[in-house]
Amino acid sequence: LAKTTQPISMDSYEGQEVNITCSHNNIATNDYITWYQQFPSQGPRFIIQGYKTKVTNEVASLFIPADRKSSTLSLPRVSLSDTAVYYCLVGPYYNQGGKLIFGQGTELSVKP
Amino acid sequence: GAGVSQSPSNKVTEKGKDVELRCDPISGHTALYWYRQSLGQGLEFLIYFQGNSAPDKSGLPSDRFSAERTGGSVSTLTIQRTQQEDSAVYLCASSYDSAGANVLTFGAGSRLTVL
């Protein structure tokens, strides 16, 4: 299973774009990259998933370079409500072995 | 159901007691996961079920921990002879199938406090 590395914490201000990068140097060919958001006292919530290049939805964008050894979650124009912990997860599309190991997460603090 | 349901939401117990935590996944989701999250920490994988089978139980912290799933639906995580270090939030998640495995829907968690 690919091990992931993320910054422990990041600070931003309302209205700014925030980019959180996750490193996964030993990602496997059949691995997908998925990001989750977790607010205090809640379970993580799926944000976005991708395999390569760029994926965009109503919440965020995910940029994956050609070598796929890293990925960047981009949150446009953050607000106070985006303060949360963001987790990067790398794992196969078909779960054969069972373990899905989350990274340690990035605690994003958005200030007014 | 509409989401993943976990009960109890909060449990306070005395050291040495047994506890059972329940997870009711989204209807039709065949894959079910248990994670543990200690205060201020990340998600620690415990166990995964595909249907009623758990291919890998190596994530369970000790032999005091066990889990089962019946009827391909509800799962129970049992902790015997609880210790203070077992205090954490226990999160359950489900996904539609082994396909699309990374897209998990989590419950709100069961917060366990061992006195």
Side-chain angles (χ1 to χ4, degrees), chain B residues 23-46:
Chain B
C23 174
D24 200 342
I26 292 173
S27 178
H29 279 197
T30 60
L32 185 147
Y33 302 78
W34 283 98
Y35 288 86
R36 178 169 72 174
Q37 189 169 39
S38 300
L39 186 63
Q41 302 299 308
L43 299 161
E44 176 188 4
F45 172 86
L46 297 180

Side-chain angles (χ1 to χ4, degrees), chain A residues 4 6 36 44 87-89 100-105, chain B residues 35 43 104 106:
Chain A
T4 60
Q6 307 173 230
Y36 288 81
Y87 292 95
C88 166
L89 172 66
L100 289 180
I101 308 297
F102 284 79
Q104 77 270 34
Chain B
Y35 288 86
L43 299 161
L104 307 180
F106 281 84

Side-chain angles (χ1 to χ4, degrees), chain A residues 92-112:
Chain A
Y93 188 78
Y94 289 94
N95 190 354
Q96 302 295 327
K99 286 185 178 179
L100 289 180
I101 308 297
F102 284 79
Q104 77 270 34
T106 298
E107 186 172 7
L108 173 64
S109 177
V110 180
K111 302 174 183 178

